[in-house]
Amino acid sequence: MINQNETILIVEDDSQIHNFIAYILKQEGFSCFIAKSAQNAMAVLLSQKIDLMILDMGLPDLDGMEVIRKVREWSEMPIIVVSARDQDKDKVSALDAGADDYLTKPFSAAELMARIRVLIRHLHQTVKSSAQPVISVGELSIDFEKRQVFLKGETLHVTPLEYNLLSLFFRNIGKVLTTQFILKEIYGIGYGTDTQALRALMAGLRRKIEPVPARPRYILTEIGVGYRLVDE
Ligand code: CA
């Protein structure tokens, strides 16, 4: 249900890749701009109204990470990182710097569109959700006002930590959250490295919400990166 009025900036120096992305976006009805360097991207961002940015990490003039940091100083626009480096640490650093999602090259048109749809849908929901205390994903619902969780319409008993974890996911439906980010949000800065605690907390929560905890359908593991609540 994308109304396709969005304008997307593609920051990518490889012409084969930016032509491919631009072709897909135009077919889907988006307007788009192409920037071949970080400097070029900044110029477009300052002169045009951009709704979402697709960013290559390896640019000729500046690391993609620096672009994310600069943009985050003044904008919350969704950023999808496209990286040839398939190492997990790069994805994690990009997400921690403020990117919303990532794709590893090579990726398909369908994959790219799925990620864009999630982020654009949330763009439109941001205003609505503050007036909407109950949000559902599948048979799982959360009531932010009452701090309650429901599964198949029945109250689900969760601990305060489990509630905080789940509400963090519900505030970021469809987005991958890094382990580091979750730890900071749930336990505060001092516990930033206790991944064991998070794993235990996640296992407990999954036993309560997942029909088959070993094969989660709600909160998926992004190996080496973090977790994602599915967007249904
Ligand atoms: Ca590149």
Side-chain angles (χ1 to χ4, degrees):
M1 251 213 315
I2 298 174
N3 66 8
Q4 331 297 55
N5 288 326
E6 286 80 13
T7 304
I8 298 180
L9 172 62
I10 307 161
V11 188
E12 167 68 79
D13 58 320
D14 184 325
S15 59
Q16 232 177 335
I17 297 175
H18 68 225
N19 287 340
F20 165 70
I21 298 175
Y23 175 77
I24 300 164
L25 295 181
K26 281 177 184 156
Q27 271 202 325
E28 295 284 331
F30 290 103
S31 313
C32 56
F33 286 92
I34 293 172
K36 295 172 189 170
S37 67
Q39 205 185 358
N40 207 195
M42 288 303 163
V44 176
L45 287 167
L46 290 174
S47 59
Q48 306 293 332
K49 187 193 163 291
I50 302 295
D51 298 294
L52 182 146
M53 177 164 70
I54 298 170
L55 175 69
D56 171 35
M57 293 304 279
L59 295 168
D61 54 344
L62 205 59
D63 192 271
M65 211 76 80
E66 286 307 312
V67 178
I68 299 171
R69 290 199 189 98
K70 276 183 199 274
V71 170
R72 279 291 172 261
E73 285 172 13
W74 50 269
S75 171
E76 289 296 307
M77 79 172 65
I79 301 175
I80 302 177
V81 161
V82 171
S83 173
R85 305 174 242 177
D86 58 357
Q87 288 159 348
D88 293 332
K89 69 171 173 44
D90 293 323
K91 297 171 186 168
V92 173
S93 320
L95 292 165
D96 280 336
D100 296 276
D101 212 337
Y102 63 82
L103 282 169
T104 304
K105 294 174 191 173
F107 53 86
S108 69
E111 270 180 295
L112 175 66
M113 283 317 302
R115 302 300 169 84
I116 290 176
R117 280 195 194 99
V118 167
L119 294 173
I120 293 219
R121 190 151 57 232
H122 294 311
L123 212 57
H124 297 311
Q125 275 171 356
T126 325
V127 186
K128 257 194 321 191
S129 63
S130 51
Q132 196 184 21
V134 182
I135 302 180
S136 300
V137 167
E139 293 179 310
L140 188 63
S141 311
I142 192 163
D143 185 329
F144 289 111
E145 255 172 29
K146 296 183 181 136
R147 288 181 62 90
Q148 279 184 327
V149 179
F150 301 93
L151 185 63
K152 296 181 182 174
E154 305 272 322
T155 307
L156 185 71
H157 295 283
V158 292
T159 66
L161 265 184
E162 287 169 347
Y163 175 84
N164 290 346
L165 179 60
L166 201 56
S167 75
L168 182 64
F169 280 112
F170 268 94
R171 280 182 271 119
N172 295 281
I173 296 174
K175 280 173 61 173
V176 56
L177 306 181
T178 67
T179 305
Q180 232 26 260
F181 173 79
I182 298 170
L183 282 169
K184 205 174 80 207
E185 293 291 313
I186 300 296
Y187 299 101
I189 289 161
Y191 293 84
T193 52
D194 198 356
T195 54
Q196 206 74 39
L198 179 60
R199 230 170 290 153
L201 181 63
M202 190 64 73
L205 181 62
R206 275 176 168 161
R207 276 196 294 275
K208 292 180 182 179
I209 65 169
E210 299 288 354
V212 185
R215 271 179 288 126
R217 59 163 284 208
Y218 290 114
I219 301 176
L220 309 182
T221 301
E222 296 278 324
I223 295 163
V225 179
Y227 302 90
R228 182 199 302 266
L229 175 60
V230 296
D231 186 27
E232 292 197 329

